[in-house]
Amino acid sequence: EAGVAQSPRYKIIEKRQSVAFWCNPISGHATLYWYQQILGQGPKLLIQFQNNGVVDDSQLPKDRFSAERLKGVDSTLKIQPAKLEDSAVYLCASSRTGFNQPQHFGDGTRLSIL
Amino acid sequence: GESVGLHLPTLSVQEGDNSIINCAYSNSASDYFIWYKQESGKGPQFIIDIRSNMDKRQGQRVTVLLNKTVKHLSLQIAATQPGDSAVYFCAENIGGGADGLTFGKGTHLIIQP
């Protein structure tokens, strides 16, 4: 099966600009996650969707980050305005419905803030 | 602080030897654990998972051991190959309805020829 698709692979912007990332999960996976991975650290959960509803966004900096999954398939994550500390890899993952299902990750978008 | 951590940032092993990567977790409510492999420039790749009602699970060349008494998780890789070079993360889920994972910092496995 095709894996999780993410675009773009790389993005360079200046601070205070806005940026958006796109994710297409594995076909049939109802649950979708966005993680932030700062260099040298493990991924940190930002938001979890079940179909088009938000399950957990407790770690999403809502003053600048937003995410949507309007039709329950593709998702976008937006940052506006970006700060220097947002430089990271943004990873999307998906899993089947149900507890304790393994999450499968895309290769992420590497964001650099100048 | 983090609820999942790893003991060693770097582990160097000889090709063909067995590798053991360790992980300590602090949340006794954690009920699901996953090991991921991450190569440079790529996303984490699922290796193996284990639920809290088990203490051992085997896959192809890999074994995960879970010791709930001391809150310790390990990944054993048999006959380590050059392609095993990567950063390995353990991750946990504490249940409660949301399935987001908590990751540790990772162990960089280096294979010596």
Side-chain angles (χ1 to χ4, degrees):
Chain A
E1 61 182 1
V4 176
Q6 289 190 248
S7 68
R9 288 284 283 127
Y10 304 94
K11 191 73 178 179
I12 301 173
I13 63 172
E14 295 185 349
K15 59 184 179 182
R16 292 188 289 274
Q17 287 187 324
S18 63
V19 64
F21 315 122
W22 173 83
C23 172
N24 181 246
I26 293 172
S27 179
H29 283 194
T31 310
L32 183 146
Y33 313 79
W34 284 102
Y35 288 82
Q36 178 193 59
Q37 186 174 24
I38 292 172
L39 186 65
Q41 298 182 18
K44 172 189 160 188
L45 179 70
L46 293 174
I47 189 167
Q48 175 188 350
F49 291 94
Q50 176 73 22
N51 296 308
N52 61 350
V54 175
V55 174
D56 181 5
D57 64 357
S58 58
Q59 299 185 83
L60 187 73
K62 298 180 188 63
D63 58 333
R64 298 183 299 105
F65 286 65
S66 64
E68 60 183 17
R69 193 184 184 199
L70 294 176
K71 296 183 179 179
V73 180
D74 293 4
S75 177
T76 55
L77 176 70
K78 296 179 182 177
I79 307 175
Q80 181 180 12
K83 291 186 174 181
L84 292 175
E85 60 261 36
D86 299 332
S87 292
V89 175
Y90 290 86
L91 294 161
C92 180
S94 69
S95 69
R96 297 184 185 280
T97 303
F99 290 123
N100 298 339
Q101 294 292 326
Q103 298 177 25
H104 300 275
F105 286 80
D107 286 336
T109 296
R110 181 175 297 276
L111 175 66
S112 298
I113 312 293
L114 303 178
Chain B
E2 293 180 319
S3 65
V4 178
L6 296 171
H7 295 306
L8 291 173
T10 302
L11 176 65
S12 184
V13 299
Q14 293 286 329
E15 182 179 349
D17 287 352
N18 296 335
S19 302
I20 300 176
I21 301 171
N22 294 304
C23 177
Y25 65 95
S26 59
N27 194 331
S28 56
S30 297
D31 63 358
Y32 180 56
F33 304 87
I34 305 181
W35 280 101
Y36 285 95
K37 172 187 180 183
Q38 188 172 28
E39 297 174 283
S40 181
K42 297 201 170 181
Q45 176 189 352
F46 172 85
I47 302 174
I48 192 167
D49 61 0
I50 189 167
R51 289 165 175 75
S52 59
N53 61 350
M54 304 171 69
D55 54 21
K56 180 179 180 179
R57 191 159 188 229
Q58 289 183 292
Q60 186 176 15
R61 280 203 308 122
V62 295
T63 301
V64 55
L65 300 177
L66 175 62
N67 185 330
K68 294 180 286 294
T69 302
V70 295
K71 291 188 281 220
H72 183 268
L73 192 69
S74 68
L75 176 70
Q76 300 177 3
I77 305 173
T80 311
Q81 302 169 358
D84 295 328
S85 289
V87 177
Y88 289 81
F89 292 97
C90 66
E92 67 174 331
N93 171 262
I94 61 171
D99 292 314
L101 296 171
T102 300
F103 284 77
K105 286 192 174 68
T107 293
H108 186 193
L109 180 64
I110 298 171
I111 312 303
Q112 304 282 2

